[in-house]
Amino acid sequence: MAVGGQALLRQAVDCLVSSSSGFDARQTALEQLRQAGKLDQAIVDLEQRITDDPRSAETAAALGRVYLHKCGTIQDMREQGILAMKADQVFDAALQIDSSNWDARYTKALAMSYWPTQMNRGTEVMQHLVTLIEQQESQAPQPHFAMPYALLGDEYKKYGHTDKAREIWQRGAVMFPNNKDLAGKLTQQ
């Protein structure tokens, strides 16, 4: 690996695990790792960091996000399933360490929302999102805090609770009036 590649890897992974990195910065770091073909190296680095410090919720959440990002780059369904299960496990570990870890709770709920409805994970997804919204409302609003409102409404709608879906989208739109996703969901009704 070139020195520049190692520097990119270290910088991106450090960004992913830093509690001071914003949501957009972490998204950018994930994309940089993907574009540079460094997701596998990031996984190795993060797995080693967890071995070195198993009590870091940020590291566990970052590893889960990288696992899921890696899923999007491969075609083998079996390998995708293995990575998705690993992600789910490290998100659980992160939430055991810090139940208010936004990345772990949101990304776990988002990933589970793609599971087939017959797997009966909808209630768990909704509970994670309700908890996340409750936690967010005690903090200063951040733009990415709109995402749980949009996803929770989608889950309610998927399970036939259209009134609850509209209610949560409206609640989110009041808090985030410039969010185009929430506005679009309300105009689709």
Side-chain angles (χ1 to χ4, degrees), residues 30-189:
L30 277 170
E31 188 56 26
Q32 288 173 336
L33 288 168
R34 185 193 63 76
Q35 287 178 358
K38 304 281 186 227
L39 290 172
D40 289 328
Q41 292 97 331
I43 288 170
V44 169
D45 185 320
L46 288 164
E47 287 173 342
Q48 183 60 51
R49 288 181 188 215
I50 286 177
T51 299
D52 295 344
D53 182 9
R55 300 296 306 158
S56 172
E58 290 82 8
T59 303
L63 179 57
R65 292 185 74 198
V66 175
Y67 281 148
L68 291 178
H69 221 69
K70 177 70 177 173
C71 282
T73 68
I74 56 178
Q75 299 298 314
D76 183 327
M77 297 274 288
R78 182 179 171 279
E79 190 175 347
Q80 286 177 339
I82 291 168
L83 287 172
M85 293 303 292
K86 284 182 173 183
D88 195 59
Q89 290 169 351
V90 294
F91 290 140
D92 285 344
L95 292 169
Q96 284 291 320
I97 298 164
D98 177 7
S99 65
S100 65
N101 185 289
W102 194 95
D103 276 352
R105 190 168 302 279
Y106 178 77
T107 311
K108 177 179 177 69
L110 177 63
M112 287 175 33
S113 75
Y114 288 100
W115 291 30
T117 55
Q118 60 268 31
M119 294 193 72
N120 297 321
R121 297 303 287 258
T123 302
E124 185 178 353
V125 171
M126 289 182 244
Q127 185 55 53
H128 277 294
L129 293 167
V130 167
T131 299
L132 188 58
I133 288 169
E134 289 170 356
Q135 291 171 343
Q136 289 177 177
E137 289 179 351
S138 68
Q139 302 173 35
Q142 298 178 39
H144 64 278
F145 283 4
M147 296 178 347
Y149 292 94
L151 184 57
L152 180 56
D154 290 346
E155 284 297 298
Y156 283 147
K157 185 176 178 183
K158 181 174 23 176
Y159 288 93
H161 305 291
T162 54
D163 290 342
K164 280 184 157 185
R166 185 162 186 70
E167 178 184 314
I168 199 71
W169 290 330
Q170 286 175 331
R171 186 170 153 199
V174 167
M175 295 188 75
F176 302 96
N178 297 324
N179 186 278
K180 293 177 182 168
D181 188 28
L182 288 168
K185 289 177 184 306
L186 288 168
T187 58
Q188 292 173 1
Q189 296 290 308

